[in-house]
């Protein structure tokens, strides 16, 4: 009886350990799924963790804009509250770009490479770029320039930058959201090539079918 229990316990333990180790196919699919889920949640930084450094995608223009804004914020002593305004603004913008996704096919290329096909309701990359490039930022800075200078003269550089960045976050939310809300998403079939890099699985290219 004890021997039987030991054998049963060992079998259960083995099955449990095996179940805890995802298959390579599951790991590749998880990378693609996590990428799209991050986008649907509006988190570009998390989404880009699943991309190889040389991989460009539909959201590259938005990522560039966010990176530039983050770099600007880092140069000035703005409050955490203002930084959060920018973070929330970009999350809302990204959410407008992708509505849903579903993995529809998995093809094994080799032990370290898979092609994962996903159908996603998403905005066209050219439409996103055109919408962003058409936004007139010069009028915004013209409108607030006198107030910024007043803040600078009376309260100093920190107060002036805090005001400008707060106003910019509101402007960003309003203008980018309006521009992208006027675009219509479409169902796109996207084939992601996923390769094993050391112990991680990363998306190395996208193809639209």
């Amino acid at each position: 009886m004890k021997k039987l229990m030991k054998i049963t316990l060992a079998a259960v333990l083995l099955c449990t350990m095996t179940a805890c180790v995802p298959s390579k196919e599951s790991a590749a699919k998880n990378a693609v799924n996590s990428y799209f889920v991050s986008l649907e949640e509006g988190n570009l930084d998390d989404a880009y963790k699943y991309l190889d450094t040389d991989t460009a995608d539909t959201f590259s223009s938005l990522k560039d804009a966010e990176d530039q804004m983050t770099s600007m914020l880092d140069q000035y002593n703005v409050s955490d509250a203002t930084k959060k305004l920018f973070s929330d603004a970009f999350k809302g913008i990204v959410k407008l770009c992708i509505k849903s996704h579903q993995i529809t096919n998995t093809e094994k290329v080799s032990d370290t490479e898979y092609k994962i096909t996903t159908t996603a309701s998403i905005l066209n990359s050219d439409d996103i770029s055109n919408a962003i490039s058409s936004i007139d930022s010069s009028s915004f800075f013209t409108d607030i320039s006198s107030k910024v200078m007043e803040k600078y003269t009376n309260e100093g550089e920190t107060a002036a930058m805090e005001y400008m960045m707060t106003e910019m976050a509101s402007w960003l939310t309003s203008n980018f959201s309006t521009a992208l809300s006027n675009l219509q998403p479409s169902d796109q079939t996207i084939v992601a090539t996923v390769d094993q890099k050391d112990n991680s699985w990363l998306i190395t290219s996208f193809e639209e079918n």
Side-chain angles (χ1 to χ4, degrees), residues 4-6 18 24 33 36-37 47 56 65 69 90 92 106 122 131 135 139-140 142 155 182 185 189-190:
L4 179 60
M5 290 181 64
K6 287 182 179 180
T18 303
K24 291 186 174 183
N33 185 63
F36 280 103
V37 168
M69 192 58 62
F90 272 101
T106 304
I122 194 170
I135 297 173
S139 60
F140 162 74
T142 299
E155 302 177 46
N182 291 329
T189 301
I190 302 169

Side-chain angles (χ1 to χ4, degrees), residues 62-119:
L62 279 178
K63 187 68 170 67
D64 289 343
E66 183 177 25
D67 288 344
Q68 290 171 15
M69 192 58 62
T70 300
S71 178
M72 184 183 298
L73 290 172
D74 289 341
Q75 292 178 30
Y76 303 104
N77 189 29
V78 298
S79 66
D80 290 340
T82 298
K83 290 180 179 179
K84 187 177 185 303
L85 286 176
F86 277 101
S87 176
D88 291 344
F90 272 101
K91 282 185 178 181
I93 291 167
V94 175
K95 284 181 179 180
L96 290 171
C97 295
I98 178 165
K99 305 301 181 183
S100 62
H101 79 282
Q102 181 178 5
I103 293 177
T104 56
N105 188 58
T106 304
E107 176 188 348
K108 179 179 179 180
V109 179
S110 69
D111 285 341
T112 58
E113 183 177 320
Y114 286 82
K115 288 188 179 293
I116 312 297
T117 303
T118 303
T119 299

Side-chain angles (χ1 to χ4, degrees), residues 12 14 17 27 46 59 86 113 138 141 161 170 173 179 193 207:
V12 171
L14 179 62
M17 291 175 65
D46 276 356
F59 303 94
F86 277 101
E113 183 177 320
S138 59
F141 288 106
M161 294 309 301
S170 298
T173 300
T193 299
E207 300 173 24

Side-chain angles (χ1 to χ4, degrees), residues 5 15 35 38 42 44 54 92 112-113 129 160 163 175 177 180 207 209:
M5 290 181 64
C15 289
Y35 167 77
S38 295
L44 275 177
D54 295 327
T112 58
E113 183 177 320
S129 296
Y163 168 77
N175 285 269
S177 296
L180 296 178
E207 300 173 24
N209 283 356

Side-chain angles (χ1 to χ4, degrees), residues 134-196:
S134 66
I135 297 173
D136 178 21
S137 59
S138 59
S139 60
F140 162 74
F141 288 106
T142 299
D143 291 341
I144 70 166
S145 59
S146 61
K147 185 66 174 180
V148 171
M149 289 305 299
E150 180 184 341
K151 285 276 186 182
Y152 181 83
T153 301
N154 297 330
E155 302 177 46
E157 182 182 39
T158 299
M161 294 309 301
E162 186 75 34
Y163 168 77
M164 188 179 78
M165 292 301 180
T166 301
E167 291 296 306
M168 188 181 294
S170 298
W171 172 85
L172 184 72
T173 300
S174 175
N175 285 269
F176 274 51
S177 296
T178 299
L180 296 178
S181 294
N182 291 329
L183 304 178
Q184 292 298 318
S186 60
D187 287 340
Q188 300 180 28
T189 301
I190 302 169
V191 180
T193 299
V194 188
D195 288 283
Q196 188 174 21

